[in-house]
Amino acid sequence: GFLILNDLDRILLSGNPNQIQTTMTFLLDFLDSQKNSFESPYFNNCINISRLNIIITSINKQFRLINII
């Protein structure tokens, strides 16, 4: 499966500390190589994410995720 995070730079460069922390916590949770599943409150089910591909886009050409993490 694919998870597409469009214009992530808008969230991380917004200056809102709560929004930035929530976003980074979400990302780090999914990027954990030991995690194979995710409990979805929307589907009320456990979703297999062991083969999840994450695509992150940015509108700001100067934005680099590695500088934020």
Side-chain angles (χ1 to χ4, degrees), residues 16-63:
N16 181 338
N18 285 339
Q19 192 173 29
I20 294 168
Q21 181 178 4
T22 301
T23 303
M24 293 309 293
T25 302
F26 169 81
L27 274 178
L28 290 173
D29 194 33
F30 276 96
L31 295 174
D32 182 1
S33 62
Q34 300 298 313
K35 187 166 184 165
N36 292 323
S37 63
F38 168 70
E39 184 67 34
S40 171
Y42 300 105
F43 299 114
N44 197 24
N45 201 354
C46 193
I47 299 172
N48 182 353
I49 61 169
S50 63
R51 298 185 60 153
L52 182 67
N53 296 294
I54 300 174
I55 300 171
I56 299 173
T57 69
S58 168
I59 197 166
N60 184 338
K61 293 179 183 178
Q62 303 300 319
F63 178 74

Side-chain angles (χ1 to χ4, degrees), residues 5-22:
L5 302 173
N6 192 24
D7 295 341
L8 185 65
D9 59 326
R10 289 185 184 185
I11 295 170
L12 297 180
L13 300 176
S14 69
N16 181 338
N18 285 339
Q19 192 173 29
I20 294 168
Q21 181 178 4
T22 301

